[in-house]
Amino acid sequence: QLSLVETPFWEFMRMLVEEGLTGTSISVQCSALAKIAQKDHTFQEMMAAGCEVLVRAAFETQATRSFSGPHIVRVVHSLAKLHTGPEWVTRLGSLLVEQGHVARLGLQDLEMLTWALATTQRRDEALLKDIVARIKDMDCIPSLQGPRLAHFAWALAKLKATDPQLLAAISARAQS
């Protein structure tokens, strides 16, 4: 099964890279690769390698300069789902901080990002500081319910977020 699709898959990856990479194209492709791997684990390794090829090419061509925060978050989320190595998650996390994207992320992107970082065990102090500041600025904890609050609290705990105001807001929301 794998051998039937391997050559066309890598031809497709080559074509994507040659055509030029954008934040949209990479985030959509990596997301699709993660979904394929979830549906059929036979393809896990190949899909992870394909996503890494796209991210590597984006850094090599400096296409990452034009990525939006949500594009980066979706790629990081896909890399986490694909169980890739930490290198690209770390580099993309640094890019979020360097380009000031975290301050413009919405709640869903913050949830996806914290889950991905916690899942890959990538704790970046500067990124975590920006995430906590954005959560506090948005005052979004009161709007979280049930599983969303639990997942968000789990991810922040895994990342060792220790901000007293944030922890108090999570605790208060959990008790309400």
Side-chain angles (χ1 to χ4, degrees):
Q1 182 183 15
L2 191 59
S3 62
L4 291 174
V5 297
E6 194 164 9
T7 301
F9 173 78
W10 289 113
E11 278 299 309
F12 179 65
M13 289 294 110
R14 186 187 56 73
M15 182 192 73
L16 284 173
V17 171
E18 287 177 1
E19 291 294 319
L21 301 167
T22 65
T24 300
S25 69
I26 289 183
S27 64
V28 167
Q29 292 304 322
C30 285
S31 204
L33 296 174
K35 286 179 183 171
I36 291 168
Q38 283 185 312
K39 295 279 184 199
D40 188 340
H41 295 293
T42 308
F43 298 110
Q44 175 78 29
E45 195 173 304
M46 187 168 58
M47 298 300 111
C51 189
E52 288 180 336
V53 162
L54 295 174
V55 174
R56 179 180 295 111
F59 273 99
E60 288 172 357
T61 62
Q62 298 184 359
T64 53
R65 289 182 178 171
S66 65
F67 284 16
S68 70
H71 290 143
I72 296 170
V73 168
R74 280 167 182 73
V75 173
V76 168
H77 192 255
S78 297
L79 290 166
K81 284 181 164 183
L82 289 164
H83 308 288
T84 63
E87 175 188 2
W88 301 114
V89 170
T90 301
R91 288 188 66 185
L92 289 163
S94 296
L95 191 62
L96 281 167
V97 172
E98 290 165 14
Q99 295 183 352
H101 288 306
V102 179
R104 295 182 298 279
L105 292 177
L107 179 56
Q108 183 177 4
D109 289 327
L110 289 168
E111 289 177 275
M112 289 172 64
L113 180 60
T114 55
W115 176 86
L117 294 171
T119 300
T120 58
Q121 300 178 7
R122 303 310 314 152
R123 187 174 189 282
D124 176 303
E125 197 62 44
L127 181 54
L128 183 58
K129 179 182 170 195
D130 284 358
I131 290 169
V132 169
R134 179 64 177 149
I135 293 167
K136 288 168 58 176
D137 286 347
M138 291 176 64
D139 192 27
C140 59
I141 298 299
S143 70
L144 295 174
Q145 297 178 19
R148 286 181 73 192
L149 177 64
H151 291 141
F152 210 30
W154 169 83
L156 290 168
K158 276 293 260 191
L159 295 171
K160 297 181 173 94
T162 58
D163 183 87
Q165 286 178 298
L166 177 61
L167 297 177
I170 291 170
S171 177
R173 181 63 186 124
Q175 293 174 11
S176 65

